[in-house]
Amino acid sequence: MEKFFHLKENGTTVPREVMAGLTTFFAMAYIIVVNPQILTQTGMPWGGVFLATIIASIIGTLVMGLFANVPYAQAPGMGLNAFFTYTVCFGLGFTWQEALAMVFLCGCINILITITKVRKMIIRAIPEPLQHAIGGGIGLFVAYVGLLNVGFINFTTKDPDSASHGLATAATPGLAAINNPTLWLFLIGLLVVIVLTVLKVRGGMLIAIIATTIIGIPMGLTTMSNSVGLGEMFGQLPTTFGALFTGEGFGSLFGNPARIPLVLVTIFAFSMSDTFDTLGTFIGTGRRTGIFSKADEESVENGSGFKTKMDKALFADSVATSIGSIFGTSNTTTFVESSAGIAAGGRTGLTSVTVACCFALSVLFAPLVSAIPGAATAGVLVVVGCMMAASLKDVAWNDITEAIPAFFAAVFMAFAYSISYGIAFGFITYCIVMVCKKKAREVHPMVWIVAALFILDFICMAALS
Ligand SMILES: Nc1nc2[nH]cnc2c(=O)[nH]1
């Protein structure tokens, strides 16, 4: 164990890693039920997506732990499963088999830009203040994921008459009325995790999740209502497994030449979002905790192959998407919830292996795992977000030229509910600021390229919508 994971060298122990793994798993276990809820709207079978979600998470997380030896867990991401269902299938009219084929190609592009070190070159090119802003912004994003999951922040639909007055008709965000048991349980959980964190109780996050789940029993919130038979689940897996390679997947995707530009633009949008989601997660969580050192990030030209932790972690992330799509799920990505386990002391791949074991057990204990209410984990995500927001202190906020790109990167991440779009706005405004300062030449070519690609992405998305 010691030899494989280098626990001493990373200043950690087996119990700490296992505790961190459990913390990360409980913080992200909701994806096991939420991902099927979203993807089945496209017509995919529940049991098949449920198993695909777990299998993709196990494989992706194991590769991360055993190959890269870093404490990150992977699962199908919430941003991209919504994009898969609502934009690609509902909006653009692709079938779920065709959408899976595009996710597979997006995974292949990820692998290509990882082995050619393009992803790492992008990381290196990001100016330091933007890196801090991305780290802090991920904190805002994590906290927002928690608040939205539990409905503490909700959206009230505006009066449709607003349109006739030239006003936006979309929903207005606001604080929910605290008049239901879910929000009471969330506040209890938040209180528990704040107290345990401030008192520096070891395993405080995990204790908070378990305690809140137990408190939820008499409140009727910790229930096993999501149970499905194992036989039923395995019976449905063949419907999703390999569906992308059939005539309904790749066969039909490239069968109509008139639709190929649309297919290419959609794959491009998938890839931009997936790539920058991961970069943001690694930069945001890995730097401050020392999981990835600066030297690790900078070693890009010094070697070929996968020599550093960062190279291996990026590779682990890139293979998971294609593997997940073969089993039947949208893009698998490195979860920001891994930061809960990192905050609990996780530093090596043993944390990830623990998460992967929990995912494997969750097939057998599906009703039990799905019984953990969102209200029990949301408080942990808010406090983890608060810890990660510390990176914002390294931005020189009184220098407006640094503050503008940093603000856009950090705050848009939460406003747009997308790590990638936060990074997009950070890059674009950074280029604008540098041009105004007559320092355009100092901008790394990679930053120009990425900013231009994001603008192209926004134009394509606007044209398609
Ligand atoms: N990085 C990341 N973490 C997540 N956790 C839940 N959904 C996501 C996602 O889309 N990206």
Side-chain angles (χ1 to χ4, degrees):
M1 195 82 87
E2 169 56 43
K3 248 189 177 166
F4 193 86
F5 292 111
H6 305 288
L7 300 178
K8 265 201 201 117
E9 189 185 309
N10 286 290
T12 182
T13 59
V14 173
R16 189 179 301 177
E17 293 290 301
V18 172
M19 181 118 67
L22 291 174
T23 306
T24 295
F25 174 73
F26 286 125
M28 65 190 288
Y30 69 90
I31 200 66
I32 295 174
V33 277
V34 175
N35 196 44
Q37 274 165 11
I38 294 175
L39 296 188
T40 49
Q41 294 172 41
T42 64
M44 298 178 83
W46 201 94
V49 182
F50 177 85
L51 282 180
T53 304
I54 293 179
I55 295 168
S57 307
I58 293 173
I59 298 176
T61 307
L62 272 183
V63 178
M64 194 63 92
L66 298 176
F67 178 63
N69 194 22
V70 288
Y72 289 96
Q74 299 202 64
M78 286 294 288
L80 281 160
N81 60 10
F83 182 72
F84 182 103
T85 300
Y86 305 117
T87 306
V88 178
C89 291
F90 291 179
L92 303 178
F94 289 102
T95 63
W96 61 264
Q97 293 91 337
E98 291 169 338
L100 283 179
M102 288 191 276
V103 172
F104 179 82
L105 291 177
C106 164
C108 296
I109 294 171
N110 273 353
I111 294 173
L112 195 73
I113 62 172
T114 304
I115 53 182
T116 52
K117 302 270 171 93
V118 171
R119 287 223 278 189
K120 207 162 153 196
M121 280 184 221
I122 298 171
I123 293 183
R124 279 202 56 198
I126 300 177
E128 199 146 330
L130 261 187
Q131 299 211 10
H132 297 308
I134 291 168
I138 299 257
L140 304 183
F141 179 78
V142 174
Y144 199 43
V145 168
L147 295 174
L148 290 183
N149 278 355
V150 84
F152 196 63
I153 301 293
N154 65 9
F155 294 84
T156 317
T157 313
K158 280 186 190 160
D159 177 3
D161 279 353
S162 313
S164 57
H165 299 102
L167 298 169
T169 51
T172 313
L175 190 67
I178 307 172
N179 60 2
N180 65 70
T182 300
L183 297 184
W184 299 334
L185 185 62
F186 160 66
L187 290 176
I188 294 170
L190 183 62
L191 178 71
V192 174
V193 73
I194 289 176
V195 171
L196 295 180
T197 308
V198 173
L199 295 180
K200 295 195 167 61
V201 174
R202 191 164 285 291
M205 305 226 173
L206 184 58
I207 296 170
I209 295 173
I210 294 172
T212 315
T213 301
I214 294 169
I215 296 169
I217 298 173
M219 296 172 77
L221 295 172
T222 305
T223 60
M224 299 205 191
S225 54
N226 279 314
S227 125
V228 251
L230 261 186
E232 193 189 338
M233 278 190 250
F234 280 100
Q236 289 176 353
L237 190 59
T239 317
T240 56
F241 181 78
L244 59 95
F245 296 118
T246 65
E248 289 166 300
F250 274 116
S252 110
L253 190 63
F254 293 109
N256 176 0
R259 219 172 43 150
I260 288 179
L262 181 63
V263 171
L264 296 181
V265 167
T266 311
I267 296 171
F268 173 62
F270 264 129
S271 298
M272 289 295 280
S273 215
D274 197 336
T275 296
F276 286 93
D277 188 314
T278 303
L279 294 191
T281 307
F282 282 155
I283 291 170
T285 56
R287 247 307 173 75
R288 228 160 47 83
T289 51
I291 290 165
F292 301 120
S293 64
K294 208 166 177 203
D296 188 335
E297 284 170 32
E298 281 172 0
S299 66
V300 71
E301 316 99 333
N302 304 345
S304 55
F306 299 113
K307 291 209 175 109
T308 67
K309 271 192 200 176
M310 173 73 91
D311 291 326
K312 291 178 183 171
L314 286 170
F315 181 72
D317 176 272
S318 66
V319 292
T321 290
S322 294
I323 293 174
S325 67
I326 295 173
F327 281 94
T329 178
S330 52
N331 304 55
T332 304
T333 189
T334 306
F335 255 41
V336 280
E337 284 84 346
S338 309
S339 52
I342 294 171
R347 288 293 176 275
T348 72
L350 185 53
T351 297
S352 318
V353 172
T354 308
V355 177
C357 292
C358 292
F359 270 115
L361 286 174
S362 65
V363 178
L364 299 176
F365 299 105
L368 208 61
V369 173
S370 60
I372 300 167
T377 52
V380 168
L381 296 183
V382 171
V383 171
V384 168
C386 173
M387 290 171 167
M388 294 180 70
S391 301
L392 294 175
K393 76 174 188 328
D394 298 319
V395 175
W397 292 105
N398 50 2
D399 173 359
I400 194 69
T401 59
E402 192 167 315
I404 286 177
F407 181 83
F408 273 90
V411 176
F412 260 63
M413 217 172 262
F415 285 176
Y417 201 50
S418 160
I419 295 172
S420 306
Y421 290 155
I423 295 176
F425 275 87
F427 272 47
I428 294 166
T429 49
Y430 176 74
C431 292
I432 295 171
V433 164
M434 292 301 274
V435 170
C436 294
K437 285 171 74 180
K438 301 197 172 50
K439 290 188 174 172
R441 288 223 183 120
E442 289 176 23
V443 178
H444 195 290
M446 198 54 105
V447 174
W448 281 114
I449 294 170
V450 172
L453 287 176
F454 269 121
I455 291 171
L456 184 65
D457 185 28
F458 290 132
I459 292 172
C460 292
M461 284 295 105
L464 293 178
S465 63

